[in-house]
Amino acid sequence: GSSNFGSNPGAILAQVAAPLELLTAMSCFAWLGGGGGQLGLPMPKKFTYFALKTPIGLPSQFALEVSGLKYEGRSVTMDKWPTVKPTTPNGQLPFAEMPDGMVLCESGAIGRTIAGASGLLGKGKDYMVSEMLLGITSDFNKKAMDIAPTVFTVEKFDAVKKQAFQDGKADVIDFANSKYEKFLLPEGDRFTKSGLTFGEIDLFGKLYVHVNGAFPEIKEGKLARFYERMSEVPGIKKVLSGESQFGPLAEYLIPVSA
């Protein structure tokens, strides 16, 4: 499956924040060439999710902006959710509306569809690495979410849960510092040549919410250079700054006081 970016194949190249040698840029451009999107996947017309920065929504929201392709983004605030919920296909968010009228549920399926439509699945070894990262990051996110408070659970974050967090915090940080480092390329700031496969976008999305939540130490750990580079990708910055179609997104995970 080759991929393309419609009439704007240079759009994603502008997203690569770290300086690239000409050869790398050329190889990245070649990776974008072809027709019809990877696996023949179309870009969703519309993506709907809560107006929150969550490990579920951010990867797809980032990928939509990084793609440089046209899309419609809709954010649902919590006060509007009771009205919106009956109109969703399965009573949950996110969902994506496809060009042929199909409605797609489940964040992983939606994220990979967006990635495929915009050439972000990777090709060859990059695809394998991206998929591997998605698996590792699913485990990381589960470990972190099991003990971290959210805006919805903070009132029930009692002494017992706080102790469980303190007991498990080091394991979460160690996971981030030990499970990824061996797969980084020599530059230390990416896992693939483009540095913008969906696996890398997904990893940053989940790192971001946990760094800005209960695990700020991860930002200074073994993934520091990766985190810093991804933070400067224009499409990602646009989502986080509230300048994308999704508008301002509130924090979902929250820090834990010492």
Side-chain angles (χ1 to χ4, degrees):
S2 59
S3 58
N4 77 27
F5 281 77
S7 61
N8 190 18
I12 195 169
L13 295 181
Q15 306 285 342
V16 183
L20 296 176
E21 297 294 337
L22 178 61
L23 180 61
T24 304
M26 289 174 65
S27 67
C28 184
F29 188 85
W31 168 65
L32 299 176
Q38 292 176 280
L39 305 178
L41 292 167
M43 179 63 108
K45 287 176 57 180
K46 185 175 182 179
F47 177 84
T48 301
Y49 191 60
F50 294 110
L52 294 169
K53 297 174 183 173
T54 78
I56 292 173
L58 279 182
S60 290
Q61 291 165 320
F62 288 160
L64 285 165
E65 277 296 328
V66 168
S67 77
L69 297 177
K70 183 179 179 180
Y71 76 93
E72 180 182 351
R74 178 192 184 194
S75 289
V76 178
T77 54
M78 296 312 300
D79 61 310
K80 298 290 195 301
W81 175 232
T83 302
V84 173
K85 185 175 181 178
T87 70
T88 66
N90 64 351
Q92 296 177 321
L93 296 180
F95 69 89
E97 299 169 45
M98 304 304 294
D100 65 356
M102 175 187 176
V103 178
L104 186 63
C105 306
E106 296 300 326
S107 60
I110 296 170
R112 282 178 169 89
T113 297
I114 295 167
S118 50
L120 297 170
L121 287 177
K123 190 174 181 180
K125 185 177 180 181
D126 283 357
Y127 168 79
M128 294 187 288
V129 170
S130 176
E131 288 295 308
M132 175 180 67
L133 291 176
L134 287 165
I136 298 172
T137 303
S138 176
D139 293 339
F140 160 72
N141 186 57
K142 184 179 186 308
K143 287 178 70 72
M145 290 299 299
D146 280 348
I147 60 173
T150 74
V151 292
F152 301 116
T153 64
V154 63
E155 291 184 2
K156 298 179 181 179
F157 198 68
D158 56 20
V160 173
K161 290 184 177 179
K162 188 170 184 179
Q163 186 59 53
F165 167 77
Q166 297 296 345
D167 293 343
K169 181 180 180 180
D171 286 341
V172 173
I173 295 172
D174 179 66
F175 188 102
N177 284 331
S178 65
K179 299 296 185 179
Y180 296 97
E181 185 184 21
K182 64 178 71 70
F183 303 114
L184 285 164
L185 293 183
E187 300 95 311
D189 66 353
R190 67 193 61 218
F191 296 87
T192 67
K193 288 180 180 180
S194 76
L196 284 174
T197 59
F198 186 59
E200 288 162 299
I201 291 172
D202 176 76
L203 170 57
F204 178 75
K206 291 175 172 57
L207 288 177
Y208 176 87
V209 295
H210 291 297
V211 162
N212 288 276
F215 306 97
E217 298 86 353
I218 291 174
K219 184 178 179 181
E220 309 301 329
K222 297 299 180 68
L223 293 174
R225 292 181 64 188
F226 170 78
Y227 190 94
E228 181 179 3
R229 181 184 65 80
M230 294 293 286
S231 297
E232 295 301 317
V233 173
I236 288 175
K237 290 178 72 173
K238 194 172 180 180
V239 173
L240 294 178
S241 66
E243 297 173 2
S244 76
Q245 289 192 36
F246 298 104
L249 301 175
E251 300 295 339
Y252 173 64
L253 296 174
I254 60 174
V256 177
S257 58

